[in-house]
Amino acid sequence: MNSLAVVLALLAALANGAASVLQRRAVMEQTEDHDEPPRRWQVRQAAAWLVRLLRRPYWLAGAAALGFSAGFQAGALAVGSLSVVQPLMASELLFTLLLGTAVFRHRPGGLTWLSFLMLAVGLGLFLGAAGASTGNTTGQAGTWLPAGLCVAAAVAALFGLGQVLRGAASAAVLGLATSVCFACTAALIKEVTGRIPEGVVAVLATGYFYAACAAGLLSLLLLQSTLRAGSLAASQPALTLGDALVSVVLGKVLFDERVALGSYPVQAVLGGCLLVAGTVGLSLSPAVAGSWDATTTPPGRPARGGRR
């Protein structure tokens, strides 16, 4: 495993965690100011709400963190495989809790910490047992169209379901939709970086660069819907785990990154058990339906606008 890819992937995970926490705080500050997003899909009202959100310093800081994450991730994918880099970014779960505790000044509770730890370690063990190969630096053109259509259909279906649900369930489903879009963005970034040796003109002459930009923008918009739907404890596991698992699938389909879980069955089973245990523990955690990251107001002090 390329050590540079590992370092860059961990830095990308840290930046991703920071982006989620900072932008979640911006969303909650806007909510405390009684500036709620429209409940139904209304383009003009939603756009106005988003413009006001973009002016908040925490949101801008989160956007900058996403920019750093994209840079670190591109560097990691340039020297490592998709199915190795993306699973390493499962450490984003722990970074999110650490940074969230500092930013929101609330502790999510021991069960949440333990659940996130089991999810991160379980995912690392499970995907480490896959023994992924480096694969090809670029994908086959014939596989991109059907893969892209499948990704688009999955994102649309999950987004529609997330609009119907409420609370933690909505946040989890929207987080999964966002994760699929982020995984597709990562695959497109790898495709673009794999074509850099051909020259800048060759990169810009294909549609992959523009598709990566479009997918990245869509991921950013979906992330805003996810962050305002529910707590980070509800959305972040689906966002992080979904990104890693979908990336492994795309790595196999697009770049022929072979996986073989049968090579390390004990490690794979242990990782799977930890994933199940972490998921169950998180479902029982008060932080999922609670408000450890729903307000920045210290207990006992009225929030802006008179709310408590």
Side-chain angles (χ1 to χ4, degrees):
M1 186 180 297
N2 190 307
S3 59
L4 179 58
V6 172
V7 172
L8 290 173
L10 291 176
L11 288 173
L14 174 60
N16 264 347
S20 294
V21 169
L22 292 169
Q23 292 193 341
R24 168 70 175 173
R25 170 154 180 172
V27 169
M28 297 319 300
E29 282 184 344
Q30 191 147 310
T31 301
E32 288 179 350
D33 287 341
H34 299 284
D35 188 1
E36 298 277 358
R39 292 187 177 275
R40 294 184 178 180
W41 181 249
Q42 297 173 326
V43 176
R44 181 176 298 178
Q45 290 85 342
W49 182 87
L50 183 59
V51 168
R52 292 190 294 273
L53 179 64
L54 299 184
R55 297 173 181 171
R56 294 188 174 270
Y58 276 102
W59 192 94
L60 295 173
L66 277 178
F68 280 111
S69 175
F72 290 134
Q73 187 179 32
L77 291 171
V79 296
S81 66
L82 188 68
S83 53
V84 168
V85 170
Q86 294 303 103
L88 282 172
M89 294 182 67
S91 56
E92 175 187 340
L93 286 168
L94 302 181
F95 290 136
T96 299
L97 281 188
L98 287 169
L99 296 171
T101 299
V103 170
F104 292 100
R105 301 175 186 176
H106 298 157
R107 293 188 177 182
L111 181 58
T112 306
W113 280 99
L114 180 60
S115 300
F116 270 51
L117 180 62
M118 287 190 293
L119 288 172
V121 174
L123 183 65
L125 287 174
F126 183 80
L127 294 175
S133 66
T134 55
N136 303 318
T137 55
T138 58
Q140 297 181 356
T143 61
W144 268 107
L145 181 58
L149 291 175
C150 290
V151 166
V155 170
L158 289 168
F159 180 77
L161 179 60
Q163 297 302 305
V164 174
L165 300 173
R166 288 290 180 268
S170 176
V173 172
L174 288 173
L176 188 55
T178 307
S179 74
V180 175
C181 203
F182 270 126
C184 183
T185 304
L188 286 164
I189 290 174
K190 180 170 178 60
E191 181 73 29
V192 172
T193 57
R195 293 177 178 272
I196 288 178
E198 300 175 13
V200 176
V201 175
V203 170
L204 298 178
T206 65
Y208 297 112
F209 174 78
Y210 308 102
C213 293
L217 178 59
L218 178 59
S219 299
L220 180 61
L221 294 175
L222 286 174
L223 180 61
Q224 307 315 305
S225 295
T226 300
L227 293 175
R228 72 173 183 246
S231 70
L232 288 172
S235 63
Q236 204 67 19
L239 185 61
T240 305
L241 272 64
D243 189 353
L245 294 173
V246 172
S247 291
V248 170
V249 175
L250 291 177
K252 168 61 179 177
V253 172
L254 297 172
F255 304 102
D256 195 27
E257 296 176 358
R258 295 177 295 278
V259 295
L261 288 173
S263 302
Y264 303 94
V266 175
Q267 183 177 338
V269 171
L270 178 59
C273 290
L274 285 174
L275 285 173
V276 173
T279 301
V280 173
L282 198 61
S283 68
L284 301 174
S285 171
V288 172
S291 58
W292 78 273
D293 65 341
T295 178
T296 59
T297 306
R301 182 181 299 175
R304 286 169 293 183
R307 293 178 64 185
R308 288 185 177 272

